[in-house]
Coordinates of all heavy atoms in Angstrom, one line a residue:
N73 N -8.4 -0.9 15.9 CA -8.5 0.5 16.3 C -9.8 0.6 17.1 O -10.8 0.3 16.6 CB -8.5 1.4 15.1 CG -8.5 2.8 15.5 OD1 -9.6 3.4 15.7 ND2 -7.4 3.5 15.5
N74 N -9.7 1.1 18.4 CA -10.8 1.4 19.2 C -11.7 2.4 18.6 O -12.9 2.3 18.8 CB -10.3 1.8 20.6 CG -11.1 1.3 21.7 OD1 -11.9 0.4 21.6 ND2 -11.0 2.0 22.9
E75 N -11.2 3.4 18.0 CA -11.9 4.5 17.5 C -13.0 4.1 16.4 O -14.0 4.8 16.3 CB -11.0 5.5 16.9 CG -11.6 6.9 16.6 CD -10.6 7.9 16.2 OE1 -9.3 7.6 16.4 OE2 -11.0 9.0 15.8
I76 N -12.7 3.0 15.8 CA -13.6 2.5 14.7 C -14.3 1.2 15.2 O -15.0 0.6 14.4 CB -13.0 2.4 13.4 CG1 -11.9 1.3 13.4 CG2 -12.4 3.7 12.9 CD1 -11.4 0.9 12.0
D77 N -14.0 0.7 16.4 CA -14.6 -0.5 16.9 C -14.3 -1.7 16.0 O -15.1 -2.5 15.7 CB -16.1 -0.4 17.1 CG -16.7 -1.5 17.9 OD1 -15.9 -2.2 18.7 OD2 -17.9 -1.9 17.6
G78 N -13.0 -1.8 15.6 CA -12.6 -2.9 14.8 C -11.3 -2.8 14.1 O -10.5 -1.8 14.4
M79 N -11.0 -3.6 13.1 CA -9.8 -3.6 12.4 C -9.9 -2.7 11.2 O -10.9 -2.6 10.6 CB -9.4 -5.0 11.9 CG -8.0 -5.0 11.2 SD -7.6 -6.7 10.6 CE -8.6 -6.8 9.2
Y80 N -8.8 -2.0 10.9 CA -8.7 -1.3 9.6 C -7.5 -1.9 8.8 O -6.6 -2.4 9.4 CB -8.7 0.2 9.7 CG -7.5 0.8 10.4 CD1 -6.3 1.0 9.7 CD2 -7.7 1.5 11.6 CE1 -5.2 1.6 10.3 CE2 -6.6 2.1 12.2 CZ -5.4 2.2 11.6 OH -4.3 2.9 12.1
V81 N -7.7 -1.9 7.5 CA -6.6 -2.2 6.6 C -6.0 -0.9 6.3 O -6.5 0.0 5.9 CB -7.2 -2.8 5.3 CG1 -6.1 -3.1 4.3 CG2 -8.0 -4.1 5.7
W82 N -4.6 -1.0 6.5 CA -3.8 0.2 6.2 C -3.1 -0.1 4.9 O -2.3 -1.0 4.8 CB -2.8 0.4 7.3 CG -1.9 1.6 7.1 CD1 -0.9 1.7 6.1 CD2 -1.9 2.8 7.9 NE1 -0.3 2.9 6.3 CE2 -0.9 3.6 7.3 CE3 -2.6 3.2 9.0 CZ2 -0.6 4.9 7.8 CZ3 -2.4 4.5 9.4 CH2 -1.4 5.3 8.9
M83 N -3.5 0.6 3.9 CA -2.8 0.5 2.6 C -1.5 1.3 2.7 O -1.5 2.5 2.5 CB -3.7 1.0 1.4 CG -3.0 0.7 0.0 SD -4.0 1.2 -1.4 CE -5.3 -0.1 -1.4
D84 N -0.5 0.6 3.1 CA 0.7 1.3 3.4 C 1.5 1.7 2.1 O 2.2 2.7 2.2 CB 1.6 0.4 4.2 CG 2.8 1.0 4.9 OD1 2.7 2.2 5.2 OD2 3.9 0.4 5.0
E85 N 1.4 1.0 1.1 CA 2.1 1.3 -0.2 C 1.2 0.8 -1.3 O 0.7 -0.3 -1.3 CB 3.4 0.7 -0.3 CG 4.4 1.1 0.8 CD 5.7 0.3 0.9 OE1 6.1 -0.4 -0.1 OE2 6.3 0.3 2.0
L86 N 1.1 1.7 -2.3 CA 0.5 1.4 -3.6 C 1.4 2.0 -4.7 O 1.5 3.2 -4.7 CB -1.0 1.9 -3.7 CG -1.6 1.7 -5.0 CD1 -1.7 0.2 -5.4 CD2 -3.0 2.2 -5.0
Y87 N 1.9 1.1 -5.5 CA 2.8 1.6 -6.6 C 2.3 1.0 -7.9 O 2.1 -0.2 -8.0 CB 4.2 1.2 -6.3 CG 5.2 1.6 -7.4 CD1 5.7 2.8 -7.5 CD2 5.5 0.6 -8.4 CE1 6.6 3.2 -8.5 CE2 6.4 1.0 -9.4 CZ 6.9 2.3 -9.4 OH 7.8 2.6 -10.5
I88 N 2.2 1.9 -8.9 CA 1.9 1.5 -10.3 C 3.1 1.9 -11.1 O 3.5 3.1 -11.1 CB 0.6 2.1 -10.8 CG1 -0.6 1.9 -9.8 CG2 0.2 1.6 -12.2 CD1 -1.1 0.5 -9.7
K89 N 3.6 1.0 -11.9 CA 4.7 1.3 -12.8 C 4.3 2.5 -13.8 O 3.1 2.5 -14.2 CB 5.2 0.1 -13.6 CG 5.9 -0.9 -12.8 CD 6.3 -2.1 -13.8 CE 7.2 -3.1 -13.1 NZ 7.6 -4.1 -14.1
P90 N 5.2 3.4 -14.1 CA 4.8 4.5 -15.0 C 4.2 4.1 -16.3 O 3.2 4.8 -16.6 CB 6.2 5.2 -15.3 CG 7.0 4.8 -14.1 CD 6.6 3.4 -13.7
E91 N 4.5 3.0 -16.9 CA 3.9 2.6 -18.2 C 2.5 2.1 -18.0 O 1.8 1.9 -19.0 CB 4.8 1.7 -18.9 CG 5.0 0.3 -18.2 CD 6.3 0.3 -17.4 OE1 6.7 1.3 -16.8 OE2 6.8 -0.8 -17.2
F92 N 2.1 1.8 -16.7 CA 0.7 1.4 -16.5 C -0.2 2.4 -15.8 O -1.3 2.1 -15.5 CB 0.8 0.1 -15.6 CG 1.3 -1.1 -16.3 CD1 2.7 -1.4 -16.2 CD2 0.6 -1.9 -17.2 CE1 3.3 -2.5 -16.8 CE2 1.1 -3.0 -17.8 CZ 2.4 -3.3 -17.7
R93 N 0.3 3.6 -15.6 CA -0.4 4.6 -14.9 C -1.5 5.2 -15.8 O -1.4 5.1 -17.1 CB 0.5 5.7 -14.4 CG 1.4 5.2 -13.3 CD 2.3 6.2 -12.7 NE 3.2 5.6 -11.8 CZ 4.4 6.1 -11.4 NH1 4.7 7.3 -11.8 NH2 5.2 5.4 -10.6
S94 N -2.5 5.8 -15.2 CA -3.6 6.4 -15.9 C -4.4 5.4 -16.8 O -5.0 5.8 -17.8 CB -3.1 7.6 -16.8 OG -2.5 8.6 -16.1
K95 N -4.4 4.2 -16.2 CA -5.3 3.2 -16.9 C -6.3 2.5 -16.0 O -6.9 1.6 -16.3 CB -4.3 2.1 -17.5 CG -3.4 2.6 -18.5 CD -2.5 1.5 -19.1 CE -1.6 2.1 -20.2 NZ -1.0 1.1 -20.9
G96 N -6.5 3.2 -14.8 CA -7.5 2.7 -13.9 C -7.0 1.6 -12.9 O -7.9 1.1 -12.2
L97 N -5.7 1.3 -12.9 CA -5.3 0.3 -12.0 C -5.4 0.6 -10.6 O -5.7 -0.2 -9.7 CB -3.9 -0.2 -12.4 CG -3.7 -0.8 -13.8 CD1 -2.2 -1.2 -14.0 CD2 -4.6 -1.9 -14.0
G98 N -5.1 1.9 -10.3 CA -5.2 2.3 -8.8 C -6.6 2.2 -8.4 O -6.9 1.6 -7.2
S99 N -7.6 2.6 -9.2 CA -9.0 2.4 -8.8 C -9.4 1.0 -8.7 O -10.1 0.6 -7.7 CB -9.9 3.1 -9.8 OG -9.7 4.5 -9.9
Q100 N -8.9 0.1 -9.6 CA -9.2 -1.2 -9.5 C -8.7 -1.9 -8.2 O -9.3 -2.8 -7.6 CB -8.7 -2.0 -10.7 CG -9.4 -1.7 -12.0 CD -8.8 -2.4 -13.2 OE1 -8.5 -3.6 -13.2 NE2 -8.4 -1.7 -14.3
M101 N -7.4 -1.4 -7.8 CA -6.8 -2.0 -6.6 C -7.7 -1.6 -5.4 O -7.9 -2.5 -4.5 CB -5.4 -1.5 -6.5 CG -4.6 -2.2 -5.4 SD -4.4 -3.9 -5.7 CE -4.7 -4.6 -4.1
F102 N -8.1 -0.4 -5.3 CA -9.0 0.0 -4.2 C -10.3 -0.9 -4.2 O -10.7 -1.4 -3.2 CB -9.4 1.5 -4.3 CG -8.3 2.3 -3.7 CD1 -7.5 3.0 -4.5 CD2 -8.1 2.4 -2.3 CE1 -6.5 3.8 -4.0 CE2 -7.1 3.2 -1.8 CZ -6.3 3.9 -2.7
Q103 N -10.9 -1.1 -5.4 CA -12.1 -1.9 -5.5 C -11.8 -3.4 -5.0 O -12.6 -4.0 -4.3 CB -12.7 -1.9 -6.8 CG -13.2 -0.5 -7.3 CD -14.2 0.1 -6.3 OE1 -15.0 -0.6 -5.7 NE2 -13.9 1.3 -6.0
W104 N -10.6 -3.9 -5.4 CA -10.2 -5.3 -5.0 C -10.1 -5.3 -3.5 O -10.6 -6.3 -2.8 CB -8.9 -5.6 -5.7 CG -8.5 -7.0 -5.3 CD1 -8.7 -8.1 -6.1 CD2 -7.7 -7.5 -4.2 NE1 -8.2 -9.2 -5.6 CE2 -7.6 -8.9 -4.4 CE3 -7.2 -6.9 -3.1 CZ2 -6.9 -9.7 -3.5 CZ3 -6.5 -7.7 -2.2 CH2 -6.4 -9.1 -2.4
V105 N -9.5 -4.3 -2.8 CA -9.3 -4.3 -1.4 C -10.7 -4.2 -0.7 O -10.9 -5.0 0.3 CB -8.4 -3.2 -0.9 CG1 -8.3 -3.0 0.6 CG2 -7.0 -3.4 -1.4
F106 N -11.6 -3.4 -1.2 CA -12.9 -3.3 -0.7 C -13.6 -4.6 -0.7 O -14.2 -5.1 0.3 CB -13.8 -2.3 -1.3 CG -13.3 -0.9 -1.1 CD1 -13.3 0.1 -2.2 CD2 -12.9 -0.4 0.1 CE1 -12.9 1.4 -2.0 CE2 -12.5 0.9 0.3 CZ -12.5 1.8 -0.7
A107 N -13.5 -5.3 -1.9 CA -14.2 -6.6 -2.0 C -13.6 -7.7 -1.1 O -14.2 -8.5 -0.4 CB -14.2 -7.0 -3.4
E108 N -12.2 -7.7 -1.0 CA -11.5 -8.7 -0.2 C -11.7 -8.5 1.2 O -11.7 -9.6 2.0 CB -10.0 -8.5 -0.5 CG -9.1 -9.5 0.2 CD -9.1 -10.9 -0.4 OE1 -9.8 -11.2 -1.4 OE2 -8.4 -11.8 0.2
Y109 N -11.9 -7.3 1.7 CA -11.9 -7.1 3.2 C -13.3 -6.7 3.7 O -13.5 -6.4 4.9 CB -10.8 -6.1 3.6 CG -9.5 -6.8 3.5 CD1 -8.7 -6.6 2.4 CD2 -9.0 -7.7 4.5 CE1 -7.5 -7.3 2.3 CE2 -7.9 -8.4 4.3 CZ -7.1 -8.1 3.2 OH -5.9 -8.8 3.1
R110 N -14.3 -6.6 2.8 CA -15.7 -6.3 3.3 C -16.0 -7.4 4.3 O -15.9 -8.5 4.1 CB -16.6 -6.2 2.1 CG -18.0 -5.8 2.5 CD -18.8 -5.4 1.3 NE -18.5 -4.1 0.8 CZ -17.9 -3.8 -0.4 NH1 -17.7 -4.8 -1.2 NH2 -17.7 -2.6 -0.7
G111 N -16.6 -7.0 5.4 CA -17.0 -7.9 6.5 C -15.9 -8.4 7.3 O -16.1 -9.0 8.4
K112 N -14.6 -8.1 7.0 CA -13.4 -8.5 7.8 C -12.8 -7.2 8.5 O -12.1 -7.4 9.5 CB -12.4 -9.1 6.9 CG -12.8 -10.4 6.2 CD -11.8 -10.9 5.3 CE -12.3 -12.0 4.3 NZ -11.3 -12.3 3.3
A113 N -13.0 -6.1 7.9 CA -12.4 -4.9 8.5 C -13.4 -3.8 8.4 O -14.4 -3.9 7.6 CB -11.2 -4.5 7.7
K114 N -13.2 -2.7 9.2 CA -14.2 -1.6 9.2 C -13.8 -0.5 8.3 O -14.7 0.2 7.7 CB -14.3 -1.1 10.7 CG -14.8 -2.1 11.7 CD -16.3 -1.9 11.8 CE -16.8 -2.8 12.9 NZ -17.7 -2.2 13.8
K115 N -12.6 -0.3 8.1 CA -12.1 0.9 7.2 C -10.9 0.5 6.5 O -10.1 -0.3 6.9 CB -11.8 2.1 8.1 CG -13.0 2.9 8.6 CD -12.5 4.2 9.3 CE -13.6 5.0 9.9 NZ -14.5 5.6 9.0
L116 N -10.7 1.3 5.4 CA -9.5 1.2 4.7 C -8.8 2.6 5.0 O -9.5 3.6 4.9 CB -9.6 1.1 3.2 CG -8.4 1.3 2.3 CD1 -7.4 0.2 2.7 CD2 -8.8 1.2 0.8
R117 N -7.5 2.6 5.4 CA -6.8 3.8 5.7 C -5.5 3.8 5.0 O -4.9 2.8 4.8 CB -6.6 3.9 7.2 CG -6.0 5.2 7.7 CD -6.0 5.3 9.2 NE -5.4 6.5 9.7 CZ -5.2 6.8 10.9 NH1 -5.6 6.1 11.9 NH2 -4.7 8.0 11.2
F118 N -5.1 5.0 4.7 CA -3.7 5.2 4.1 C -3.2 6.7 4.4 O -4.0 7.5 4.8 CB -3.7 4.9 2.6 CG -4.8 5.7 1.8 CD1 -4.5 6.9 1.3 CD2 -6.0 5.2 1.7 CE1 -5.5 7.6 0.6 CE2 -7.0 5.8 1.0 CZ -6.7 7.1 0.5
E119 N -2.1 6.9 4.0 CA -1.5 8.3 4.1 C -1.0 8.6 2.8 O -0.7 7.8 2.0 CB -0.5 8.4 5.2 CG 0.7 7.5 5.0 CD 1.6 7.4 6.2 OE1 1.2 7.7 7.3 OE2 2.8 7.1 6.1
V120 N -0.8 9.9 2.5 CA -0.4 10.4 1.2 C 0.5 11.7 1.5 O 0.2 12.5 2.3 CB -1.6 10.7 0.3 CG1 -2.4 11.8 0.9 CG2 -1.1 11.1 -1.1
A121 N 1.6 11.7 0.8 CA 2.5 12.9 0.8 C 1.7 14.1 0.2 O 1.1 13.9 -0.9 CB 3.8 12.6 0.0
P122 N 1.8 15.3 0.8 CA 1.0 16.4 0.3 C 1.4 16.8 -1.1 O 0.5 17.4 -1.8 CB 1.2 17.5 1.3 CG 2.4 17.1 2.1 CD 2.5 15.6 2.0
D123 N 2.5 16.5 -1.6 CA 3.0 16.8 -3.0 C 2.5 15.8 -4.0 O 2.7 16.0 -5.2 CB 4.5 17.0 -3.1 CG 4.9 18.2 -2.2 OD1 4.2 19.1 -1.9 OD2 6.2 18.2 -1.8
N124 N 1.9 14.7 -3.5 CA 1.5 13.7 -4.5 C 0.1 14.0 -5.1 O -0.9 13.4 -4.7 CB 1.5 12.3 -3.8 CG 1.4 11.1 -4.8 OD1 1.2 11.3 -6.0 ND2 1.6 10.0 -4.2
T125 N 0.1 15.0 -5.9 CA -1.2 15.5 -6.4 C -2.0 14.5 -7.3 O -3.2 14.5 -7.2 CB -0.9 16.8 -7.2 OG1 0.0 16.4 -8.3 CG2 -0.4 17.9 -6.4
D126 N -1.4 13.6 -8.0 CA -2.1 12.6 -8.7 C -2.9 11.7 -7.8 O -4.1 11.4 -8.0 CB -1.2 11.8 -9.7 CG -0.6 12.6 -10.8 OD1 -1.2 13.7 -11.2 OD2 0.4 12.2 -11.4
A127 N -2.2 11.3 -6.7 CA -2.8 10.4 -5.8 C -4.0 11.1 -5.0 O -5.1 10.5 -4.9 CB -1.8 9.8 -4.8
L128 N -3.7 12.3 -4.6 CA -4.8 13.1 -4.0 C -6.0 13.2 -4.8 O -7.1 13.0 -4.3 CB -4.2 14.5 -3.6 CG -3.3 14.6 -2.5 CD1 -2.6 16.0 -2.4 CD2 -3.9 14.3 -1.1
R129 N -5.8 13.5 -6.1 CA -7.0 13.6 -7.0 C -7.8 12.3 -7.1 O -8.9 12.2 -7.1 CB -6.4 14.0 -8.4 CG -7.5 14.4 -9.4 CD -7.0 15.0 -10.7 NE -5.7 14.5 -11.2 CZ -4.5 15.2 -11.0 NH1 -4.5 16.3 -10.4 NH2 -3.4 14.7 -11.5
L130 N -7.0 11.2 -7.2 CA -7.7 9.8 -7.2 C -8.4 9.6 -5.9 O -9.6 9.2 -6.0 CB -6.6 8.7 -7.4 CG -7.1 7.3 -7.3 CD1 -8.1 6.9 -8.4 CD2 -5.9 6.3 -7.3
Y131 N -7.8 9.8 -4.8 CA -8.5 9.5 -3.5 C -9.8 10.3 -3.4 O -10.7 9.8 -2.9 CB -7.5 9.7 -2.4 CG -6.2 8.9 -2.5 CD1 -5.0 9.4 -2.0 CD2 -6.2 7.7 -3.2 CE1 -3.9 8.7 -2.1 CE2 -5.0 7.0 -3.3 CZ -3.9 7.4 -2.8 OH -2.7 6.8 -2.9
R132 N -9.7 11.5 -3.7 CA -10.9 12.4 -3.6 C -11.9 12.0 -4.5 O -13.1 11.9 -4.2 CB -10.5 13.9 -3.8 CG -9.7 14.4 -2.7 CD -9.2 15.9 -2.9 NE -8.5 16.3 -1.8 CZ -7.3 17.0 -1.8 NH1 -6.8 17.3 -3.0 NH2 -6.7 17.4 -0.7

Side-chain angles (χ1 to χ4, degrees):
N73 185 275
N74 212 22
E75 195 172 348
I76 65 167
D77 189 30
M79 185 180 75
Y80 65 76
V81 176
W82 183 288
M83 187 179 283
D84 194 34
E85 297 170 22
L86 175 59
Y87 176 84
I88 308 293
K89 287 181 175 181
E91 63 269 28
F92 290 97
R93 292 179 187 161
S94 300
K95 297 182 179 192
L97 297 182
S99 296
Q100 288 179 53
M101 188 65 222
F102 279 104
Q103 295 309 315
W104 185 92
V105 171
F106 291 140
E108 180 76 2
Y109 290 99
R110 184 168 281 115
K112 300 175 192 173
K114 296 268 186 136
K115 282 190 184 289
L116 174 62
R117 186 173 180 180
F118 54 90
E119 59 192 21
V120 60
D123 295 339
N124 193 352
T125 56
D126 290 340
L128 286 168
R129 189 170 34 259
L130 170 65
Y131 304 149
R132 288 175 178 138

